[in-house]
Amino acid sequence: MAQTADSSDPRSCDLVTVPAREGLEAVDILRLRACVGPVFHDRDGGTLGFIVPPGTAERWDLPGSACVRTLFGDLPAAAPPVTGSGWLVPPDGTRAPATEPERLRAALREASRTLAVVDSCQ
């Protein structure tokens, strides 16, 4: 469960969660464009979470995903903000501290289109 954030807390960030299939495709797209921030996965492999800047949740409206405010510890040693999860793209200080929301939205849309084509070929 994500911790509730107070926007004045310096650890405040937002968290976009998506189904793993779309999320993994989006991570690949964002990695190719060198603009992915920290991403974690749940232990069951069903969901990915993207760390995004605070304030994103107020205007996030992409169907099939959710965005909530949360807290995130000090980089690079922080544990994921959701209990029982692990890092897919760790916050190691060499990447952006968060994924830019518009780039994430575009990558998720591209991922959905790509997966729809793949599914139609099966």
Side-chain angles (χ1 to χ4, degrees), residues 8-109:
S8 65
D9 189 320
R11 300 172 301 150
S12 179
C13 66
D14 288 359
L15 174 66
V16 172
T17 56
V18 298
R21 188 168 185 236
E22 288 82 3
L24 289 169
E25 191 70 29
V27 166
D28 286 344
I29 292 164
L30 291 166
R31 280 183 170 163
L32 288 172
R33 297 176 185 151
C35 57
V36 66
V39 180
F40 67 90
H41 60 86
D42 64 0
R43 297 284 184 209
D44 295 330
T47 304
L48 293 187
F50 292 80
I51 303 295
V52 293
T56 301
E58 296 167 6
R59 42 188 201 284
W60 189 262
D61 61 352
L62 189 65
S65 65
C67 188
V68 297
R69 291 176 20 185
T70 190
L71 294 175
F72 184 53
D74 297 327
L75 299 176
V82 175
T83 304
S85 61
W87 290 113
L88 177 65
V89 179
D92 62 7
T94 64
R95 295 176 183 77
T99 300
E100 201 279 320
E102 289 307 315
R103 289 183 176 189
L104 176 57
R105 186 178 281 114
L108 288 168
R109 287 182 175 143

